[in-house]
Amino acid sequence: MTDLSTRSPSTRDWLLSDAPSTRRQARLGSLYQGWLTFRANTLAMVGLVILIALALMAIFAPWLSPYDPVAQNLADRLMPPSAAHWLGTDALGRDILSRIIWGSRVTLFIVGTVALISPILGLLIGTVAGFAGGWVDQILMRITDIFLAFPKLILALALVAALGPGIVNAVLALAITGWPPYARLARAETLAVRNADYIAAARLQGAGPARLLIGHVWPMCVSSLIVRVALDMAGIILSAAGLGFLGLGAQPPLPEWGAMISDGRTYILDHWWVAAMPGMAIFIVSLAFNLLGDGLRDVLDPKGAKE
């Protein structure tokens, strides 16, 4: 019989150990505990599953779409949902399901690019302002206030109108107008830690401002920014759809959900599916990002976690 007292600990016990023996064990244990907290949130898991399905749909769009998303067939125009066309067809006879599947690539491109540019820009500006203080803080925060004084979508419309319609210009406009909230958040986090003892100790050891920011201040701001980004994803999708609806985003014949709603608004009373199906796709993905953001907040921001 195996002696239980000498049995080697399981991987789970090793990850959940209260006294990790190495830095690697401590980091993996922290990640595993965060995953357990996230997994306990059923709605967050639902959001994660939806977003994984969205990513897979975008990756395998050529094999999942039953028709060419830009192929026109006027003989089948405005057909209701049926076995041949599960979500119906639009005014040009294009299969709506195929266009939604291919449109997921456009959505992920917009969300991914904006979520990469805006937080990094906001993190850089906010941490420099909070850490430097003085006139640097005043100048950077006044610039931030100028951007915050205008509604983000209105400012994005003005930028796209100046740059010209197109998906790249729409992404740039959303990224440029989306950084101020992240800068404010990063500045607040920086002000809370810039006088901490470990910052003073690192400064006494000869660490310069750049090393202090990158090595000590930025890690303290990342978790809050991740939560804010996840919660802002729905707003990014809606803003991108708004630009597409107004004809300033992705240009025809590229399948983009906002532009598809714009194409279907003329037929909303008699042929509801033309606008309703892409609208439902926007609703589901936006809801999934909100659910995911709530779950990440419970993991990365324990102070704001639900009791």
Side-chain angles (χ1 to χ4, degrees), residues 2-15:
T2 304
D3 185 2
L4 296 180
S5 63
T6 61
R7 181 175 61 88
S8 60
S10 65
T11 303
R12 178 185 174 87
D13 295 335
W14 182 77
L15 290 172

Side-chain angles (χ1 to χ4, degrees), residues 144-191:
T144 303
D145 291 339
I146 292 174
F147 276 87
L148 290 174
F150 296 92
K152 184 167 64 174
L153 183 57
I154 300 299
L155 189 56
L157 287 172
L159 289 175
V160 174
L163 297 174
I167 186 171
V168 175
N169 290 339
V171 169
L172 289 176
L174 292 175
I176 292 173
T177 59
W179 64 266
Y182 303 112
R184 281 290 187 183
L185 181 60
R187 177 179 179 270
E189 296 281 353
T190 304
L191 291 175

Side-chain angles (χ1 to χ4, degrees), residues 29-91:
S30 177
L31 291 174
Y32 183 67
Q33 290 177 353
W35 164 249
L36 293 179
T37 302
F38 183 86
R39 191 178 64 180
N41 190 328
T42 303
L43 292 178
M45 289 298 296
V46 171
L48 179 62
V49 170
I50 293 175
L51 295 178
I52 291 175
L54 175 69
L56 293 176
M57 184 170 66
I59 294 172
F60 298 103
W63 297 275
L64 293 177
S65 59
Y67 299 94
D68 186 338
V70 298
Q72 302 179 15
N73 185 2
L74 297 180
D76 293 335
R77 65 187 303 270
L78 298 176
M79 289 184 60
S82 62
H85 301 278
W86 288 4
L87 300 184
T89 61
D90 62 9

Side-chain angles (χ1 to χ4, degrees), residues 187-291:
R187 177 179 179 270
E189 296 281 353
T190 304
L191 291 175
V193 303
R194 72 175 181 178
N195 295 322
D197 292 339
Y198 69 91
I199 296 291
R203 185 180 287 111
L204 289 175
Q205 292 177 351
R211 182 177 177 183
L212 291 174
L213 279 176
I214 298 174
H216 300 281
V217 176
W218 284 9
M220 300 300 296
C221 303
V222 168
S223 60
S224 299
L225 287 179
I226 291 175
V227 174
R228 180 62 188 261
V229 169
L231 292 173
D232 285 349
M233 289 296 189
I236 295 173
I237 294 175
L238 293 176
S239 297
L243 293 177
F245 183 86
L246 296 174
L248 298 176
Q251 298 299 297
L254 190 66
E256 196 274 326
W257 295 347
M260 292 172 64
I261 296 177
S262 177
D263 293 339
R265 72 185 188 276
T266 306
Y267 314 98
I268 191 66
L269 296 179
D270 298 325
H271 309 284
W272 55 268
W273 58 88
V274 180
M277 296 306 179
M280 185 62 66
I282 294 174
F283 168 76
I284 293 174
V285 175
S286 300
L287 177 63
F289 274 116
N290 279 328
L291 296 178

Side-chain angles (χ1 to χ4, degrees), residues 108-126:
L108 287 179
F109 171 76
I110 294 174
V111 170
T113 307
V114 174
L116 182 64
I117 297 175
S118 292
I120 293 177
L121 184 59
L123 176 65
L124 178 61
I125 294 175

